[in-house]
Amino acid sequence: MSVKHALLGLLTENPKHGYDLKRDFDDRLGDIWNLNYGQIYTTLERLVRDGLVELFDEVSQEDRPDKKIYRITSSGRNELRHWLVQPLKHEPRTLRDELFLKLLFIDLTDPELILQQIREQHSVYMAHMMQLTNRKYQIDGSARRAIENTHDDTERRRIERNRLVSLVVLDAALFHAEADIRWLKHSEARIKELV
Amino acid sequence: MTVQLHNVSHEYNYGKVQALRGINLDIRAGQFVAIMGASGSGKSTLLHLIAGLTQPRDGDVIVLGHHLGKLSDNDLTLFRRRNIGLIFQAFNLLPTMTALENVMLPLIIDGKSKREIRARGEHLLRLVQLTDRMDHRPDELSGGQQQRVAIARALMNEAPVLLADEPTGNLDSKSGEDILYLLRELVERENRTMVMVTHDPRAAAYADRIITLSDGQISEELGIVAEVMVS
Ligand SMILES: Nc1ncnc2c1ncn2[C@@H]1O[C@H](COP(=O)(O)OP(=O)(O)OP(=O)(O)O)[C@@H](O)[C@H]1O
Ligand SMILES: [Mg+2]
């Protein structure tokens, strides 16, 4: 996935330093995507090297290196626009699960022990879904209230858009967890049939 | 405690089918509990016991302080009408009445002001997004629309305890989610108690407790704090 384009997109809003980028990224995608400072700084260096981003300002700080503030260049904007309309890769995600490997060697142990692991995995996913749904419910609720209390159209649209992004992201995580849960249940039944 | 089950067992067909075995369960006011489990594991039976529609072969069911086993049939009916909102697996709508009349029915029997009842019924049908279907009879509604009428009807008496059997089973995932949001909001805002049977993991995830039944017993319980308890 493209950290590069994520940073370019966030920089279209206004010039930012690494900390701002991390915070803005986490606000919107933090639920499903853990981006660390290291990735942000190496990506920024590469973007500067390629002329897509430039140094905008440096703010001196006590006892620390200067805070570097970056802004997007016009070729950065072109690159972002180009990427936005690029078709998505037409191929399914690769699927890989440790369970496949364990099944390969199921004869070496008591199948009941594998079933036990499947059930535990199932519980972990289900608990995860509860947490995601709770987040979704909270975000949805506070967005609804904020929209009710706002009379400024631009502000309302901004809230609507952020709500949409958060919900779509959380939905993605939820639907994937659900698929895993269904697959685990199904596999459990299959393995039971076998033993 | 709003709902308490002490050592509850139930069987059908003179002991040939053990539907529930030794269930112990405490549900506090304001909790949203989901019941999951394979087909035939006893979910609907459990709901019927809490509603007092069925008396257990063994054990006690106490709802809002009432020992359901000790109530007369009359008192039980009265208790249900005041305290329980029921959404059944089959919607049980009256075929000759319109959606709005079906929703109004639980209160009409009580003999309250018809104008107020109508206003509340219309409000609830709007909440479940059936504003333009109020005058349709059940056979003129889709399955999902009938389900939403049944949900509105269950909310009519403002019961403190809501019992729902697959309330979103016939809905597409976005409509189902709107209903679940509505139900959870009701539970939280008005401190009601909700027990919902479902096969759907995404619906169950709206609850703050998930209880799984296997062969009539509680085999697992999950809570929102994400602690995992496998028995
Ligand atoms: N009225 C009845 N007479 C006889 N047996 C019954 C009756 N109702 C339910 N059962 C049996 O009791 C067991 C539990 O049934 P119940 O309806 O509670 O299951 P459930 O978990 O709700 O299943 P589903 O997911 O299919 O709705 C099943 O084996 C069922 O066949
Ligand atoms: Mg059932």
Side-chain angles (χ1 to χ4, degrees):
Chain A
M1 289 244 249
S2 182
V3 176
K4 167 178 157 183
H5 294 108
L7 299 191
L8 283 175
L10 291 172
L11 286 170
T12 58
E13 296 168 351
N14 53 286
K16 290 171 185 180
H17 64 89
Y19 176 82
D20 299 327
L21 285 166
K22 163 86 171 141
R23 184 202 52 209
D24 292 352
F25 188 89
D26 284 352
D27 270 358
R28 291 167 220 195
L29 293 176
D31 284 309
I32 53 152
W33 192 343
N34 181 22
L35 188 61
N36 59 41
Y37 282 108
Q39 285 168 294
I40 291 180
Y41 288 111
T42 46
T43 308
L44 276 174
E45 269 168 36
R46 222 174 308 135
L47 287 168
V48 170
R49 187 195 63 202
D50 296 342
L52 302 176
V53 157
E54 63 193 7
L55 193 61
F56 171 66
D57 200 0
E58 289 181 272
V59 182
S60 58
Q61 305 186 103
E62 245 178 84
D63 307 333
R64 290 228 215 134
D66 291 352
K67 199 157 77 174
K68 293 190 169 122
I69 297 173
Y70 296 92
R71 84 170 153 199
I72 189 168
T73 63
S74 63
S75 54
R77 282 180 196 276
N78 282 338
E79 167 60 30
L80 184 67
R81 267 195 292 270
H82 181 68
W83 168 78
L84 275 172
V85 297
Q86 279 268 304
L88 299 165
K89 281 204 202 90
H90 294 290
E91 53 187 52
R93 294 186 312 144
T94 47
L95 266 181
R96 215 178 277 162
D97 198 285
E98 211 177 347
L99 180 60
F100 303 161
L101 285 181
K102 295 202 171 188
L103 287 178
L104 206 55
F105 307 115
I106 194 167
D107 290 342
L108 300 179
T109 176
D110 178 0
E112 186 50 45
L113 294 175
I114 306 264
L115 283 171
Q116 184 60 28
Q117 292 182 44
I118 291 183
R119 284 192 281 264
E120 278 165 22
Q121 188 75 346
H122 178 270
S123 306
V124 169
Y125 276 118
M126 201 60 240
H128 183 52
M129 285 187 76
M130 289 171 93
Q131 280 184 324
L132 289 168
T133 305
N134 197 41
R135 281 271 299 146
K136 206 167 116 176
Y137 178 79
Q138 305 299 344
I139 287 174
D140 206 2
S142 51
R144 284 177 199 223
R145 284 188 293 277
I147 288 166
E148 264 172 38
N149 297 329
T150 304
H151 301 292
D152 175 10
D153 274 350
T154 333
E155 175 62 5
R156 194 176 295 159
R157 227 169 311 127
R158 195 190 63 80
I159 300 169
E160 277 287 10
R161 201 203 54 189
N162 286 349
R163 166 175 175 261
L164 177 76
V165 175
S166 302
L167 294 184
V168 165
V169 165
L170 286 163
D171 279 338
L174 274 163
F175 278 108
H176 280 116
E178 182 192 10
D180 281 324
I181 281 178
R182 289 189 187 278
W183 171 69
L184 285 167
K185 272 272 166 237
H186 203 83
S187 307
E188 184 187 351
R190 259 193 213 293
I191 297 168
K192 272 187 184 156
E193 227 169 54
L194 179 92
V195 297
Chain B
M1 227 37 92
T2 301
V3 176
Q4 289 174 286
L5 277 79
H6 292 315
N7 255 319
V8 168
S9 295
H10 194 64
E11 55 198 38
Y12 294 106
N13 293 355
Y14 310 102
K16 279 204 215 106
V17 179
Q18 279 279 327
L20 291 174
R21 295 183 288 165
I23 301 281
N24 285 297
L25 182 61
D26 286 341
I27 301 174
R28 270 195 326 255
Q31 268 186 349
F32 186 159
V33 180
I35 311 280
M36 297 189 84
S39 178
S41 58
K43 305 181 298 295
S44 297
T45 303
L46 183 69
L47 225 50
H48 286 194
L49 292 178
I50 298 173
L53 291 167
T54 310
Q55 293 301 328
R57 281 294 147 85
D58 210 0
D60 295 315
V61 179
I62 304 162
V63 181
L64 297 161
H66 300 274
H67 261 268
L68 300 193
K70 293 182 183 160
L71 297 182
S72 68
D73 281 355
N74 252 339
D75 288 346
L76 207 51
T77 307
L78 215 64
F79 158 83
R80 238 192 332 268
R81 201 181 292 162
R82 291 218 182 101
N83 299 310
I84 308 278
L86 261 175
I87 306 164
F88 288 101
Q89 207 163 4
F91 320 127
N92 299 355
L93 299 175
L94 293 182
T96 55
M97 293 189 163
T98 68
L100 181 59
E101 287 163 351
N102 264 287
V103 171
M104 289 164 63
L105 196 65
L107 288 197
I108 291 206
I109 302 175
D110 260 7
K112 295 207 172 88
S113 141
K114 197 150 178 194
R115 180 190 292 253
E116 272 171 43
I117 298 173
R118 171 175 290 270
R120 176 156 173 79
E122 287 172 350
H123 167 70
L124 288 171
L125 282 170
R126 276 195 293 275
L127 273 186
V128 297
Q129 287 161 30
L130 286 177
T131 311
D132 51 356
R133 290 288 183 279
M134 296 195 188
D135 298 325
H136 287 231
R137 285 196 320 269
D139 64 356
E140 299 166 333
L141 294 169
S142 74
Q145 289 168 340
Q146 292 178 41
Q147 187 151 36
R148 282 180 279 157
V149 174
I151 290 167
R153 182 186 54 189
L155 300 177
M156 195 63 189
N157 61 351
E158 296 180 87
V161 179
L162 289 168
L163 306 175
D165 208 340
E166 292 283 5
T168 55
N170 287 276
L171 302 176
D172 64 90
S173 77
K174 181 63 175 62
S175 314
E177 181 165 295
D178 291 341
I179 294 288
L180 287 161
Y181 185 92
L182 177 80
L183 291 175
R184 173 151 171 185
E185 206 177 35
L186 270 176
V187 169
E188 284 193 4
R189 266 199 201 159
E190 301 173 10
N191 202 40
R192 301 213 216 171
T193 307
M194 167 113 180
V195 185
M196 171 180 77
V197 167
T198 183
H199 284 286
D200 177 1
R202 285 193 323 121
Y206 269 86
D208 36 43
R209 273 173 89 186
I210 300 179
I211 287 164
T212 305
L213 291 181
S214 321
D215 293 329
Q217 287 180 306
I218 295 179
S219 61
E220 185 189 58
E221 164 147 15
L222 288 174
I224 190 71
V225 268
E227 82 268 68
V228 177
M229 293 171 270
V230 184
S231 73

